[in-house]
Amino acid sequence: MQRRFLGGTGISVPEYGLGAMMFGTGNTDPDDCVRIVHRALDAGIDLIDTADIYERGVSEEIVGRALKGRRDEVVLTTKAGMPMSEHANERGSSRRWLTRALDDSLRRLGTDHVDVYQLHRPDPHTDIDETLATLTDFVRAGKVRAVGTSTFPAELQVEAQWTAERRGHVRPRTEQPPYSMLARGAEAALLPTAQRYGMGVLVWGPLSAGWLSGRIRSADDIDLSAGRTAIERQKFDVRLPANARKLETVLALAQLADEAGLELRHMALAFVRAHPAVTSVLLGPRTMEHLESLLTGAEVTLDDALLDRIDAIVPPGTDLNPQDGYYQPPALVDPALRRR
């Protein structure tokens, strides 16, 4: 497993990390999840990413259990900011909430610190100066080694860097965006901005929620009756034009992978890993079988000719379905912000 340095932190991470979102949700067997963590560690994947929102803390508890006796081997990252209950103050990036959220995460993870603490989504209701001051205090207290963001657009990255420099706060050292062959929006501004500020980039969703796993070859392969596809129908229902286009594109990419002698999922992982801004690609297996199938393609690389052919199918900077960006600026969500 090749390794890279995570931005300017000096922390070395493998080019693949283990995302724990499926622990407690897609996989409800804690023992099996622990085995998946141990298999990843044995394969050289010692970067593990989780979040408090993943099954309301269950994922963190499983990761903490898996790391007993092995904590020092691991670069451990978690996130906060998504709603943890219906209460208005149990979410966001206020000092009030983040202070409690971090302590709760540390307790569940069974550790006294995390290596990277990330803001899970932008919080338009909290001044970034307030948030960065809070994160700086966490670093000074030894509870956090570095701070980062997840799914922050380029303009908010610039604002955070500017504020940190002028207020003397620690600055975000990492960003965790969605990025895949079907969702290339990050290429336009976010990834170049991360490069400009020397940020490490931890990519999630390289298989685009299963679209690029190789299992989808027709509309009949998409079950909208249960699970994630039922909850997020707007990202899977091929009766919607954006998803019909995704299916057509997946079939074209699958044919290209076949011609190159590759499995589609391996081509998908190698594609995002090839971008010079990307530090590590987070794998989110639900089962041991999924992890093993991804590990078999860990060394696959794509030459320029193949990358050019992918560009011809999905133009650079394109999100085939805008819903796959996972963040909408408030002014696009709330009509009152666009009207007098």
Side-chain angles (χ1 to χ4, degrees):
M1 188 73 62
Q2 298 295 313
R3 303 188 69 87
R4 300 167 180 173
F5 285 102
L6 187 58
T9 65
I11 299 173
S12 172
V13 296
E15 58 187 358
Y16 288 107
L18 180 66
M21 188 178 74
M22 289 290 102
F23 296 171
T25 52
N27 188 332
T28 58
D29 182 345
D31 292 335
D32 190 45
C33 294
V34 168
R35 286 190 290 269
I36 291 172
V37 173
H38 291 168
R39 174 68 182 101
L41 292 176
D42 293 342
I45 299 177
D46 56 14
L47 166 64
I48 301 178
D49 177 78
T50 184
D52 58 3
I53 192 63
Y54 297 162
E55 198 58 16
R56 297 295 195 274
V58 174
S59 173
E60 289 184 322
E61 291 174 349
I62 291 172
V63 170
R65 176 183 163 191
L67 296 185
K68 286 183 178 179
R70 304 187 71 170
R71 171 65 183 93
D72 290 342
E73 301 176 32
V74 172
V75 177
L76 180 60
T77 74
T78 193
K79 301 179 287 293
M82 299 289 274
M84 288 294 283
S85 76
E86 296 300 318
H87 196 287
N89 284 319
E90 294 188 351
R91 66 190 68 192
S93 300
S94 69
R95 177 180 290 271
R96 183 183 193 274
W97 173 242
L98 288 180
T99 299
R100 175 181 161 190
L102 175 59
D103 286 344
D104 287 346
S105 288
L106 293 177
R107 173 179 49 79
R108 289 189 290 260
L109 289 164
T111 185
D112 63 358
H113 75 281
V114 292
D115 296 290
V116 185
Y117 195 52
Q118 302 156 102
L119 304 174
H120 209 152
R121 291 290 188 276
D123 177 6
H125 305 294
T126 305
D127 191 321
I128 190 63
D129 183 34
E130 173 79 4
T131 299
L132 291 176
T134 302
L135 296 175
T136 299
D137 288 344
F138 292 166
V139 173
R140 290 174 177 165
K143 295 181 177 182
V144 171
R145 300 296 186 253
V147 303
T149 57
S150 177
T151 321
F152 272 51
E155 65 271 18
L156 295 186
Q157 295 292 352
V158 173
E159 181 183 4
Q161 298 291 329
W162 186 93
T163 302
E165 178 182 346
R166 282 154 181 77
R167 298 289 191 253
H169 303 318
V170 297
R171 63 186 183 91
R173 290 288 190 174
T174 67
E175 161 59 13
Q176 190 178 132
Y179 182 39
S180 73
M181 290 191 293
L182 302 182
R184 301 183 61 174
E187 294 173 339
L190 178 61
L191 294 181
T193 298
Q195 289 177 293
R196 186 172 301 118
Y197 288 104
M199 300 176 70
V201 175
L202 308 173
V203 169
W204 61 274
L207 300 185
S208 201
W211 280 93
L212 298 171
S213 66
R215 299 191 305 271
I216 296 177
R217 296 283 176 155
S218 73
D220 294 336
D221 295 324
I222 303 173
D223 180 6
L224 297 174
S225 65
R228 184 174 185 177
T229 53
I231 296 171
E232 299 183 300
R233 293 177 68 95
Q234 74 278 12
K235 299 175 185 176
F236 296 94
D237 189 345
V238 296
R239 291 173 297 182
L240 301 176
N243 294 326
R245 186 182 177 196
K246 282 168 68 172
L247 178 57
E248 179 182 347
T249 302
V250 166
L251 297 180
L253 290 170
Q255 181 178 345
L256 178 58
D258 289 343
E259 292 173 4
L262 299 173
E263 294 188 42
L264 179 59
R265 60 180 177 271
H266 296 160
M267 187 172 82
L269 295 178
F271 169 81
V272 294
R273 199 173 86 247
H275 196 290
V278 172
T279 309
S280 187
V281 180
L282 297 176
L283 310 177
R286 180 173 56 85
T287 66
M288 185 70 77
E289 180 184 5
H290 291 166
L291 177 60
E292 295 290 358
S293 71
L294 295 173
L295 289 175
T296 59
E299 302 303 322
V300 170
T301 59
L302 309 183
D303 60 26
D304 287 346
L306 189 52
L307 290 169
D308 288 343
R309 294 185 67 185
I310 294 172
D311 287 350
I313 296 172
V314 185
T318 300
D319 284 337
L320 295 183
N321 184 342
Q323 296 287 338
D324 291 336
Y326 288 87
Y327 171 75
Q328 288 288 324
L332 300 184
V333 177
D334 184 356
L337 298 178
R338 305 191 301 271
R339 300 168 185 172
R340 291 184 183 276

